[in-house]
């Protein structure tokens, strides 16, 4: 009988009187759900904001109990009944409800659907892929949204909110490497040197954006990558230039959007929503290919901290408190 280590989330009882547990335990291979057709030996996983919500049970992310956590994983195919994948292939898993309604990748082994997997670009290690993870891949989707909606270098500054977080850190790195002038909005102004090392030309205090503001404000941004939502997103739209583009992917401040339509109907501002979970394969492959060619690996090392499977539990609390800088990569074999 073979076993593997995994971070298992369990809930026993009713909605009103339940007990939630989050533990690293040994699971027998035979206990894995039947739904996958590829078994992947996971090298690395990661803690995204959504993982932190699931691991601490702070939000109803988990749809099926018990569940192995982890929306991201990178590793090597151990066995496959899927025509696209063979033993030894290196793969990346992001989204598709893995770590939410399907067993996830904060584990030494994961049984996944071959249709969900993306080939690891040759130039990346599995560790680098998880230093990027869903946060970094979503950052690329946001940057591509600006590019696809026609935001060009030289048209003005690009605002990145939640700058010291995973999405924010990678977005700054990508946009600066593409030649855009990036302004980083952060609650950690003491991290200004870090944000500038990633490519921000200016760092602003997020307090300037997080309160109620006027529906239309002085035009400043040619584009915005927002992972924060709420008043920050509203103010970012209100400060976006005529025909500018705001890519919105997150809710670190809040899921509310207490806005007026003024920026959209008077300035033609485009609000581009970005989802990473159910993007079609072709879009995923494009995003990963652009990450492989455009992302500076030395910057990736700067933003990454490696932790163990067990440390994932305590670090999730820090993620939700906004105390983490950059990306947490989980070495599932440590
Ligand atoms: N749409 C999608 O498919 C998708 C994919 C990935 C992530 N997301 C979402 O994007 C957001 C960021 O994800 P992430 O992985 O980058 O998380 P993260 O690493 O935890 O970063 C979030 C950052 O937001 C800022 N922040 C935290 N609390 C805040 C508050 N109350 N008000 C304003 N800013 C606050 C902090 O940056 P500073 O201290 O620098 O301000 C923090 O580092 C999350 O809401 C996540 O759910 C969505």
């Amino acid at each position: 009988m073979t076993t593997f280590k995994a971070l298992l989330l369990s809930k026993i009882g009713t909605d009103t009187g339940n007990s939630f547990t989050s533990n690293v335990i040994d699971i027998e291979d035979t206990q894995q759900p039947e739904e996958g057709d590829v078994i992947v030996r996971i090298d690395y996983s990661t803690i995204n904001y959504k993982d932190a919500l699931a691991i601490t049970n702070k939000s109803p992310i988990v749809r099926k109990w018990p569940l192995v956590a982890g929306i991201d994983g990178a590793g090597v195919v151990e066995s496959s009944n899927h025509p696209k994948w063979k033993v030894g292939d290196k793969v990346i898993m992001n989204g598709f409800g893995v770590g939410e309604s399907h067993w996830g990748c904060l584990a030494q082994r994961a049984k996944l659907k071959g249709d969900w997997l993306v080939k690891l670009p040759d130039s990346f290690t599995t560790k680098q892929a998880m230093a990027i993870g869903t946060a970094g891949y979503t950052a690329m989707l946001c940057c591509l949204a600006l590019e696809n909606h026609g935001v060009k270098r030289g048209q003005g500054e690009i605002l990145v909110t939640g700058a010291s977080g995973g999405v924010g850190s990678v977005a700054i790195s990508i946009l600066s490497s593409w030649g855009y002038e990036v302004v980083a909005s952060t609650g950690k102004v003491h991290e200004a040197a870090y944000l500038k090392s990633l490519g921000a030309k200016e760092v602003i205090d997020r307090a300037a954006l997080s309160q109620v503001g006027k529906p239309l404000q002085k035009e400043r941004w040619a584009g915005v990558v927002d992972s924060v939502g709420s008043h920050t997103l509203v103010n970012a739209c209100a400060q976006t230039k005529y025909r500018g583009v705001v890519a919105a992917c997150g809710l670190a401040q809040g899921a509310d959007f207490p806005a007026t339509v003024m920026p959209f109907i008077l300035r033609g501002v485009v609000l581009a929503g970005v989802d990473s979970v159910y993007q079609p394969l072709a879009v995923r492959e494009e995003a990963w290919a652009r990450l492989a060619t455009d992302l500076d690996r030395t910057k990736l090392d700067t933003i990454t901290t490696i932790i163990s499977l067990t440390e994932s539990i305590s670090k999730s609390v820090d993620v939700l408190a906004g105390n983490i800088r950059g990306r947490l990569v989980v070495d599932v074999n440590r």
Side-chain angles (χ1 to χ4, degrees):
M1 181 181 26
T2 325
T3 64
F4 63 96
K5 292 208 180 303
L7 200 172
L8 191 76
L9 309 178
S10 305
K11 204 181 227 181
I12 300 161
T14 63
D15 276 348
T16 44
N18 56 51
S19 64
F20 168 79
T21 56
S22 173
N23 290 312
V24 175
I25 61 160
D26 288 314
I27 294 180
E28 288 173 23
D29 272 353
T30 50
Q31 286 177 276
Q32 290 190 92
E34 285 302 314
E35 57 196 358
D37 49 12
V38 179
I39 294 183
V40 179
R41 196 195 70 230
I42 304 291
D43 293 335
Y44 294 94
S45 182
T46 165
I47 304 294
N48 295 282
Y49 195 84
K50 192 185 269 181
D51 294 308
L53 288 171
I55 291 167
T56 56
N57 195 33
K58 284 284 184 294
S59 200
I61 301 293
V62 176
R63 306 284 171 190
K64 183 177 154 188
W65 306 93
L67 183 111
V68 172
I71 67 173
D72 283 340
V76 181
V77 172
E78 207 169 71
S79 68
S80 169
N81 288 322
H82 189 282
K84 187 172 170 186
W85 304 109
K86 60 178 190 321
V87 174
D89 286 344
K90 292 186 175 175
V91 293
I92 304 172
M93 176 72 237
N94 301 119
F96 283 116
V98 165
E100 299 181 59
S101 40
H102 308 287
W103 277 27
C105 299
L106 278 163
Q108 292 172 320
R109 198 159 298 144
K111 199 171 182 184
L112 302 164
K113 287 197 177 165
D115 291 345
W116 297 336
L117 300 170
V118 170
K119 180 182 178 296
L120 179 77
D122 290 338
S123 59
F124 279 140
T125 62
T126 47
K127 193 203 260 183
Q128 286 169 327
M130 285 300 98
I132 295 166
T134 284
Y137 145 68
T138 304
M140 178 54 91
L141 293 175
C142 291
C143 296
L144 289 172
L146 299 191
E147 191 178 77
N148 293 338
H149 283 285
V151 179
K152 304 232 171 351
R153 293 150 202 78
Q155 285 180 337
E157 298 163 312
I158 309 293
L159 172 68
V160 175
T161 65
S164 73
V167 173
S169 295
V170 179
I172 294 168
S173 306
I174 295 167
L175 290 164
S176 63
S177 74
W178 286 357
Y180 290 96
E181 279 182 71
V182 182
V183 176
S185 163
T186 184
K188 306 184 193 78
V189 279
H190 58 277
E191 294 287 6
Y194 161 77
L195 295 168
K196 286 186 175 169
S197 76
L198 296 182
K201 66 139 202 168
E202 186 184 337
V203 176
I204 60 173
D205 191 325
R206 75 181 186 206
L209 288 161
S210 60
Q211 308 301 318
V212 180
K214 290 186 181 160
L216 284 175
Q217 301 170 32
K218 188 167 182 292
E219 293 178 48
R220 180 163 183 191
W221 318 114
V224 178
V225 172
D226 177 66
S227 58
V228 168
S230 192
H231 293 296
T232 300
L233 176 59
V234 175
N235 288 320
C237 291
Q239 294 173 9
T240 296
K241 287 182 171 186
Y242 193 78
R243 286 171 63 84
V245 182
V246 179
C249 74
L251 41 62
Q253 182 181 1
D256 56 327
F257 184 52
T260 76
V261 297
M262 294 306 197
F264 313 116
I265 65 171
L266 295 182
R267 291 182 179 161
V269 168
V270 172
L271 180 56
V274 173
D275 163 63
S276 65
V277 180
Y278 292 107
Q279 285 291 336
L281 194 60
V283 180
R284 288 167 187 271
E285 287 172 344
E286 185 200 356
W288 279 102
R290 289 291 293 273
L291 285 160
T293 53
D294 299 0
L295 189 63
D296 181 340
R297 308 301 150 91
T298 53
K299 288 182 182 170
L300 200 54
D301 291 342
T302 316
I303 69 174
T304 305
T305 306
I306 310 285
I307 60 170
S308 68
L309 210 44
T310 306
E311 286 171 305
S312 305
I313 299 169
S314 59
K315 290 290 180 191
S316 291
V317 176
D318 294 333
V319 167
L320 296 187
N323 291 336
I324 299 292
R325 186 183 92 171
R327 301 274 303 131
L328 293 173
V329 169
V330 183
D331 179 348
V332 297
N333 297 302
R334 192 158 101 175

